[in-house]
Structure formats: structure tokens, C-alpha cells
Amino acid sequence: NPCRNQCAVTALALRHFFGGEIIKTRTKGGVHFYNQIDGKYWDMATDQFDEPIPYENIISSVDEAHQHASLAHFSALLDNIEAHS
């Protein structure tokens, strides 16, 4: 599944382009990151799960998300998005 373990870097990229907050929840596999933008929740990496996600909507941070996504990984994703925009 190409979405697996991509939630932190995806949440960081979404915040980079659209602002908002990075949000997290606990899952069986660990912490899952997603976004809140203009009062709406956006989870662009939900396809990695085979069962419903128990969304807790806990406010996280860029620093915490970067603990799960290296700067190199984040930069590569931004470059790829910009190259295909």
C-alpha cells in the first residue's frame, strides 16, 4: 500500500500548501497524523487502514510530525508535488 507510513509527511505537505493545524490520533500501529484546515478535518493517508480510524483529533505540531518524517522525505515530496502541479 503506497499510503502506508506516509501520514506524517503528507500532513506536513498539506499544512505547507494550505495552512491549518496538524492533528493526530492513536491507532493500533502507532500515531496517525492528519490535518485540520478552516475547521474541517482532512486525512489524505486514510487508505492505509483496513478498519475505521478512531479519530481523537488531538492537536499535534510540525515538530512532532517531523519526528516521523525526515526533512529529506518532506523536501522530496514537496519537489514532486511542485513538479506535477
Side-chain angles (χ1 to χ4, degrees):
N1 183 330
C3 224
R4 190 161 315 279
N5 297 322
Q6 301 300 308
C7 64
V9 73
T10 302
L12 287 163
L14 213 61
R15 184 181 179 282
H16 174 83
F17 287 108
F18 300 104
E21 300 289 333
I22 295 179
I23 308 297
K24 68 180 180 181
T25 193
R26 293 171 288 222
T27 67
K28 284 196 242 178
V31 178
H32 178 65
F33 295 92
Y34 51 105
N35 301 78
Q36 183 184 33
I37 303 167
D38 295 330
K40 294 182 92 175
Y41 293 98
W42 298 90
D43 186 352
M44 305 307 283
T46 189
D47 289 350
Q48 68 182 297
F49 295 99
D50 296 331
E51 56 190 53
I53 300 167
Y55 290 108
E56 299 172 291
N57 301 331
I58 301 166
I59 294 175
S60 185
S61 67
V62 169
D63 290 340
E64 185 175 13
H66 269 297
Q67 291 174 12
H68 300 266
S70 71
L71 188 54
H73 190 185
F74 177 58
S75 295
L77 180 57
L78 292 184
D79 290 346
N80 194 17
I81 290 169
E82 290 172 353
H84 293 91
S85 298

